[in-house]
Every structure is written in C-alpha cells, then in structure tokens.
Amino acid sequence: MKAKSLINLVLIAFSLMGCANLSQLEAQDHAADGKDITKSNDPIVLQRADPFVYKHTDGYYYFTGSVPTYDAIEIRRAKTIEGLQDAEPVRVWEKHESGPMSRHIWAPEIHYLDGKWYVHFAASEEDDIWALRPYVLELNGQDPLKDEWVELGMMQAADDDPKSFTDFSLDGTVFEHNGKRYFCWAEKTGGQFAASNLYLAEMESPIKLKTVQFMLTTPDYDWERIDFWVNEGPAVIKNEGKIYITFSASATGASYAMGIMEADENADLLDRNSWKKSRYPVLETNEEKDIYGPGHNSFTVDENGDPLMIYHARDYEKAVGDPKMVPATDKRSLEEIKADPLYDPNRHARMMEVKFDNNGRPIFELY
C-alpha cells in the first residue's frame, strides 16, 4: 500500500512538472508573440505623444516625444525598438519659469546634422500660452544623454521671409533630399483658432531657413476640419522614386487622423504643383482595434533596415483631461481641464510595419 502510494505521488509530481513546463512554454510563446510589436497595437512607450525615433550610426535607437506635463524634454535610447519601453528616460532640458520656452513644450525631434546633435521643438510662454514658436537645442558633445544641451533660440526665417514663425508655429521636422536639407512645419496665420497649414522651406543651417516659406497643404477636406482645421505633425518617407510627407489632421481626440502628400523624387519640392494630396485619411480611428486618434508619426527602420512607422494613439475614445498634468498657473475650472484632450496623458507611442502597394505607395495597416 505504501509502495503504491509512493508511485502515485511520483506520477502526480511528474504530471505537475509537465503542466508547469507546458505553462512556462505557453508563457514564453505568449511573451515572444508580445515582443513582435509590429504585428500588434500595443504601445512601445507609454504616455508619450508626438513620438520621434532616430536610429544613429552607433546602432542605438534614440526616442523622444511630448511628456504629459509638457514641461521638459526627455531622451531615451536602446539597441532595439522593444528596449525603448524599459530604457531610462533622461531629462535633458526643462522649461523656463517665465518668458519664452516656459509653457507647452511640444513635439521634440532629435536629429544628427553636420556632425552634431540637435533637438527641434515647440514652446510657448506662461503669459501667452498659444504663442507657440519653434526652438532649437544643440549638444555640446556627442552623448545626448550625458553631455550639455545648449539653447540656440528660436528657429530663424530666411532673410527675405517676413512671415515664417511670426504666429502659432510648431511640429518642425528636418529631412534631406537630393543634396538639400528642408524644414517642414505647421503654422497658423491668425492665432490659435485659425487654420493650421503645413509649410516647407530649404534650410541654410540647423537653425535658419534659406528660402521663403512655401505652403505645402491647408485643411481642404471634411476629415481635416473636425473641431479644428488642422494640418500638422509632418514626417517623411521615400520609396521607388517618390517622396512622401505624412501629416495629421483635425483635433487631438478620436477625430485625429493621418493623411499623405506625394511628389516625384526629382520634382521641385518647393513647387505646389509637384505635390498630390490624399483625398481620404490613410490612418484613422479603428474601434475594433481599440486605436483612437492615431497620428503625429515619425519613420525609422528596424534591425534589418525595413521601414517602420512610430505614431501615437489612445486605446479609448473619450479623452479626459487630468488635473495633475496641468501646471498650477492654469486658472481654468476643473470642468474645463477635464474637457481638454491635450491633458489626457494616455496617448501612447506605438509602431507598425510600413507596407507598400503595387505602385510603391506606403500603406498603413492596423493588425
């Protein structure tokens, strides 16, 4: 009787070990599936809107984006896209207490230009919170996480350009094409409630334009005019003889969506006739996938050099402002703050593979 009981106990033990091993394997498989974030809608970095990822020649991915309190610029780096979530965010610069660059620190982008690191970002001021303008930081050294960032001031217009950066301006991005460097940004002429257009100009230096601004696009269609008339958040990708500029449209809630402009790679990029605009959004809210308000994207590549898109979105429809995200100087009522989607912190950075159709045009597919 004792021997039989011992045998039964051994069999049960082996059975439990088998179940444990099976559960462990299933967990490993699930974890492995979870790591393939290009084939899911899971965030790669939580609570970071306007995400920008740059892969440098040192093999690291550098990530930045708008922090929910809009009061600082953070940078993190990792050897893989997946590693960005757990990488330590380093605050490399903080807002001023007053005057320029004291409020709404938005949409930073990190670029390596002419052998130096730069961050382009937008900021306003406490006494005029919608006086947004583009500003530039330059790194005094070669390690963005450890060396000193120096303020270069506001982005400068070309000498013969009296219009650029004179009003609500933000979301500047830098790209190079056919031996020239360009700056693309959003600007409203007429204050906060005017239409936000996208402008394009050639650059003389990382902090100054070379040519007069050229209006690339204005909100033409219904999907670009929900609550606010907006074109903003430009990003550039090239493929098979074409250059594409994606952009975001409408207010920052669930109506936020992404469109695209395209031009031949040999065309004059500063000629409006060179560009064709999508009639409909190329990425928008998908309730079945729990993706709400996707947009303000950037492009990078994976470890094999294949293109990836980094964008932000919430996973629920109703954005509610969090009073903890709002500075003490904000005198709005609690109801007004809760109604402001800008202070809902849960726009998460996400990623997807960039695919191309038979004509080489990028398509953006939620899994």
Side-chain angles (χ1 to χ4, degrees), residues 62 152 216 225 350:
Y62 290 81
L152 298 186
L216 178 66
R225 298 179 173 189
R350 305 166 192 266

Side-chain angles (χ1 to χ4, degrees), residues 10-32:
V10 171
L11 289 173
I12 292 170
F14 274 114
S15 176
L16 291 173
M17 288 173 62
C19 291
N21 288 337
L22 180 59
S23 299
Q24 185 178 17
L25 288 172
E26 289 174 343
Q28 289 172 348
D29 288 342
H30 180 72

Side-chain angles (χ1 to χ4, degrees), residues 284-340:
E284 59 187 329
T285 288
N286 187 319
E287 295 179 1
E288 292 183 358
K289 307 293 186 182
D290 292 327
I291 295 294
Y292 294 87
H296 202 124
N297 67 294
S298 62
F299 293 102
T300 188
V301 295
D302 65 15
E303 288 80 2
N304 298 317
D306 296 323
L308 299 173
M309 186 180 79
I310 313 297
Y311 68 102
H312 74 228
R314 294 185 180 89
D315 54 15
Y316 51 86
E317 181 176 9
K318 180 63 175 177
V320 179
D322 184 345
K324 296 192 295 296
M325 300 295 109
V326 179
T329 53
D330 194 313
K331 302 305 180 184
R332 290 179 297 172
S333 68
L334 182 62
E335 290 73 19
E336 289 173 317
I337 292 172
K338 286 185 175 181
D340 188 346

Side-chain angles (χ1 to χ4, degrees), residues 38 226 244 262 319:
T38 63
I226 301 174
Y244 300 91
E262 65 178 80

Side-chain angles (χ1 to χ4, degrees), residues 187-197 199 218-219 228-231:
E187 185 163 352
K188 296 183 179 183
T189 302
Q192 179 197 2
F193 296 103
S196 173
N197 308 315
Y199 294 89
T218 190
F228 291 100
W229 291 27
V230 173
N231 285 169

Side-chain angles (χ1 to χ4, degrees), residues 51-352:
F52 187 85
V53 174
Y54 168 69
K55 187 177 184 183
H56 191 45
T57 54
D58 62 4
Y60 279 97
Y61 289 94
Y62 290 81
F63 176 97
T64 189
S66 298
V67 301
T69 46
Y70 306 139
D71 59 355
I73 294 174
E74 292 182 351
I75 300 173
R76 65 181 73 189
R77 68 182 170 200
K79 281 290 188 179
T80 64
I81 293 286
E82 291 85 352
L84 289 171
Q85 176 65 75
D86 297 324
E88 179 187 2
V90 178
R91 284 204 162 197
V92 300
W93 181 87
E94 294 186 344
K95 74 177 184 68
H96 294 193
E97 290 300 315
S98 61
M101 298 184 285
S102 60
R103 186 74 181 268
H104 284 161
I105 310 304
W106 283 352
E109 292 194 3
I110 184 168
H111 296 275
Y112 193 73
L113 308 171
D114 304 326
K116 291 186 176 182
W117 289 97
Y118 295 89
V119 168
H120 292 80
F121 66 101
S124 65
E125 48 191 281
E126 279 294 342
D127 294 335
D128 191 355
I129 64 171
W130 299 116
L132 282 145
R133 299 293 186 274
Y135 294 90
V136 186
L137 304 178
E138 180 183 82
L139 186 67
N140 184 16
Q142 289 295 315
D143 189 334
L145 302 187
K146 294 181 179 179
D147 293 330
E148 179 189 12
W149 287 92
V150 179
E151 296 174 6
L152 298 186
M154 201 176 93
M155 191 73 185
Q156 302 168 24
D159 292 337
D160 54 349
D161 180 358
K163 296 182 178 180
S164 293
F165 318 131
T166 60
D167 211 328
F168 184 109
S169 306
L170 70 167
D171 292 357
T173 194
V174 178
F175 69 95
E176 296 186 5
H177 186 65
N178 287 346
K180 297 179 179 180
R181 183 175 293 152
Y182 295 88
F183 192 70
C184 188
W185 74 100
E187 185 163 352
K188 296 183 179 183
T189 302
Q192 179 197 2
F193 296 103
S196 173
N197 308 315
L198 281 188
Y199 294 89
L200 185 62
E202 189 180 343
M203 298 176 75
E204 177 181 295
S205 73
I207 194 174
K208 186 175 181 179
L209 303 184
K210 182 178 181 180
T211 62
V212 173
Q213 63 162 249
F214 147 69
M215 191 177 76
L216 178 66
T217 173
T218 190
D220 299 298
Y221 303 122
D222 52 354
W223 59 273
E224 302 172 284
R225 298 179 173 189
I226 301 174
D227 293 333
F228 291 100
W229 291 27
V230 173
N231 285 169
E232 64 182 18
V236 175
I237 188 170
K238 305 175 189 180
N239 189 56
E240 293 189 9
K242 294 287 187 69
I243 180 169
Y244 300 91
I245 297 181
T246 57
F247 62 93
S248 297
S250 289
T252 57
S255 61
Y256 209 53
M258 205 173 85
I260 195 167
M261 305 282 295
E262 65 178 80
D264 186 271
E265 65 179 1
N266 295 315
D268 179 0
L269 299 189
L270 302 183
D271 182 347
R272 180 65 184 84
N273 294 322
S274 298
W275 293 93
K276 178 182 177 182
K277 180 178 178 178
S278 60
R279 171 62 183 90
Y280 299 100
V282 294
L283 184 64
E284 59 187 329
T285 288
N286 187 319
E287 295 179 1
E288 292 183 358
K289 307 293 186 182
D290 292 327
I291 295 294
Y292 294 87
H296 202 124
N297 67 294
S298 62
F299 293 102
T300 188
V301 295
D302 65 15
E303 288 80 2
N304 298 317
D306 296 323
L308 299 173
M309 186 180 79
I310 313 297
Y311 68 102
H312 74 228
R314 294 185 180 89
D315 54 15
Y316 51 86
E317 181 176 9
K318 180 63 175 177
V320 179
D322 184 345
K324 296 192 295 296
M325 300 295 109
V326 179
T329 53
D330 194 313
K331 302 305 180 184
R332 290 179 297 172
S333 68
L334 182 62
E335 290 73 19
E336 289 173 317
I337 292 172
K338 286 185 175 181
D340 188 346
L342 283 173
Y343 284 97
D344 182 311
N346 294 317
R347 290 184 290 175
H348 305 313
R350 305 166 192 266
M351 182 180 71
M352 70 166 65

